[in-house]
Amino acid sequence: MILAASAMPAGAQGVAATANWVTPINANNGISTPETVAASDNNTFLVSKFVSKGNDNSLNFVNFGSQEKVAFGAPNKATSGNDNLLLTKVNADGTAAWHVYSKQGRVANASAATTSDGGVVVAAVTSFTAFNAKDATDIPANSILDIVDADNHTTTIEKAFAGSAVYDIVVLKISANGHLDWFKHFAADDASSLTAKIAVDNADNIYIGGQHAKTLSFGENAVAARSAKSLYLVKLDNVGNFVKSFDISGTDAEDYIDAVTFADGKIFVAGRVKAKAEGNTTFDDVFAAAFSTDLVPVWASIANSVAASDGKHTSQVKGIDVSEGFVLVSGLVKGGYKAAGATDAVTMSSGTKLEGMVIGFSVADGALSKGVC
């Protein structure tokens, strides 16, 4: 079981936050922590994953608060089960306005962003429903995703099963009332490490960034991977058609975009990078970058990793926000960070375990100047 919650923030005088509501979400076979929360004005959307196991679909359900069996996952014979998508529009009192869910296909990760019409777009990394490779009779359907919208209408996104669990990117546009307006299916034939983080600008253009290992196909437009762990950033129009991609170059061994957002007329991204030929060859550094809405770089800045007291370091980037002149990158860290060329760290964990962190880059020029663990 997981809990969806809303709270009033603490005030400037240190008054404790007040909980407005708490809603339990549980699935018969287990549910994952929500992938993302997308909110604007009075609209809040919660993206979660839930597990289905076995062929008895009457047991593969999700309960949301007092609402029972709001979604049913894909039947399967896989030992570890199948990960399914659950998108919920949450009312101000914590109840659900509607649910959209997948009943075929396996969802590795998903993110969402709100649109100007009160709806939401979701980028999901999907594959065929999990199957038991040891059972010759267990062959998935030729579907990368079956989506059931709030109207209880099922849309099948087809792909021929060729014997392996490859992953693609699917973009879903859901209306304010929970109707599936349109979808786009972009082939990747990638591994489950493929990620897709999404943002939307004021004109409802869509930006997706993440990490990939194989060539991404956006219609007739291909985005090649530079390595087995390579970042990408693309722009789609407001109906999901490819506009352009940002072409990355360099010799980094690994680089990822972990978070994307739109603010102040720009696209901001945050992620991790591991150098190959020079610099820090052991640890993941954290970077932030700003782009125009045409994907022209404005600035890029790096926070070099600093080892913890045991000589080790871990970085996990979970989110990005723009506030009061700073691009705030949040996540978990073991160790700390310092500005490029600096001697002193802007923040350090207190020990040798992962701790929550926020580091701040200047919106104007990307200068790293503050952080907290």
Side-chain angles (χ1 to χ4, degrees):
M1 180 181 73
I2 62 173
L3 298 175
S6 173
M8 292 293 291
Q13 303 303 316
V15 178
T18 301
N20 291 330
W21 51 261
V22 177
T23 300
I25 309 170
N26 61 75
N28 192 51
N29 289 301
I31 191 161
S32 303
T33 302
E35 294 281 285
T36 187
V37 176
S40 66
D41 299 325
N42 295 320
N43 298 312
T44 301
F45 301 92
L46 178 68
V47 179
S48 305
K49 294 191 302 182
F50 66 98
V51 178
S52 57
K53 289 184 178 181
N55 284 327
D56 185 354
N57 208 34
S58 65
L59 301 177
N60 290 324
F61 60 82
V62 178
N63 298 329
F64 190 95
S66 61
Q67 296 178 315
E68 296 184 350
K69 299 183 178 180
V70 301
F72 293 88
N76 65 92
K77 297 181 181 179
T79 303
S80 58
N82 187 74
D83 291 322
N84 309 276
L85 177 70
L86 176 65
L87 170 68
T88 303
K89 184 176 182 180
V90 184
N91 295 318
D93 63 357
T95 59
W98 47 254
H99 305 277
V100 172
Y101 64 94
S102 64
K103 68 174 186 179
Q104 282 290 344
R106 185 175 193 171
V107 178
N109 56 82
S111 63
T114 58
T115 54
S116 62
D117 61 0
V120 62
V121 286
V122 177
V125 173
T126 67
S127 184
F128 302 99
T129 299
F131 58 96
N132 188 337
K134 297 181 180 180
D135 184 346
T137 66
D138 192 13
I139 302 174
N142 289 325
S143 167
I144 203 84
L145 201 67
D146 280 13
I147 287 291
V148 182
D149 67 14
D151 301 324
N152 204 34
H153 175 75
T154 299
T155 299
T156 297
I157 303 173
E158 297 180 346
K159 179 168 181 162
F161 177 66
S164 60
V166 295
Y167 287 79
D168 291 350
I169 296 174
V170 172
V171 179
L172 309 168
K173 169 60 173 67
I174 310 295
S175 73
N177 295 322
H179 175 74
L180 177 62
D181 289 339
W182 53 260
F183 72 84
K184 293 289 184 179
H185 175 204
F186 302 116
D189 291 336
D190 212 325
S192 60
S193 56
L194 175 68
T195 60
K197 306 300 181 181
I198 195 168
V200 172
D201 68 17
N202 289 336
D204 287 338
N205 295 304
I206 298 165
Y207 304 83
I208 301 175
Q211 178 267 325
H212 66 138
K214 302 287 184 67
T215 296
L216 298 174
S217 297
F218 295 89
E220 297 180 353
N221 303 277
V223 179
R226 294 166 31 255
S227 67
K229 296 180 179 179
S230 177
L231 68 80
Y232 72 93
L233 179 64
V234 299
K235 177 180 180 178
L236 312 177
D237 66 17
N238 61 1
V239 290
N241 297 313
F242 179 87
V243 176
K244 69 180 302 185
S245 64
F246 171 67
D247 295 324
I248 178 105
S249 61
T251 59
D252 296 321
E254 300 175 10
D255 40 61
Y256 316 77
I257 287 178
D258 295 312
V260 184
T261 193
F262 171 78
D264 299 338
K266 297 182 180 67
I267 299 299
F268 296 92
V269 304
R272 293 161 293 143
V273 60
K274 182 178 290 187
K276 181 178 181 180
E278 58 185 356
N280 192 330
T281 59
T282 304
F283 307 137
D284 286 346
D285 297 328
V286 169
F287 74 89
F291 295 83
S292 73
T293 53
D294 290 326
L295 298 190
V296 177
V298 177
W299 56 256
S301 183
I302 195 163
N304 289 138
S305 57
V306 179
S309 58
D310 62 357
K312 299 179 181 180
H313 180 94
T314 301
S315 291
Q316 295 182 15
V317 173
K318 300 293 187 181
I320 186 171
D321 193 18
V322 178
S323 178
E324 298 182 352
F326 286 93
V327 178
L328 302 174
V329 177
S330 58
L332 297 170
V333 66
K334 172 184 172 180
Y337 303 102
K338 64 181 180 180
T343 302
D344 297 328
V346 297
T347 187
M348 282 288 295
S349 60
S350 60
T352 58
K353 295 183 178 180
L354 284 171
E355 297 180 9
M357 67 83 175
V358 179
I359 52 178
F361 301 84
S362 167
V363 165
D365 59 10
L368 174 66
S369 61
K370 64 178 181 178
V372 64
C373 285

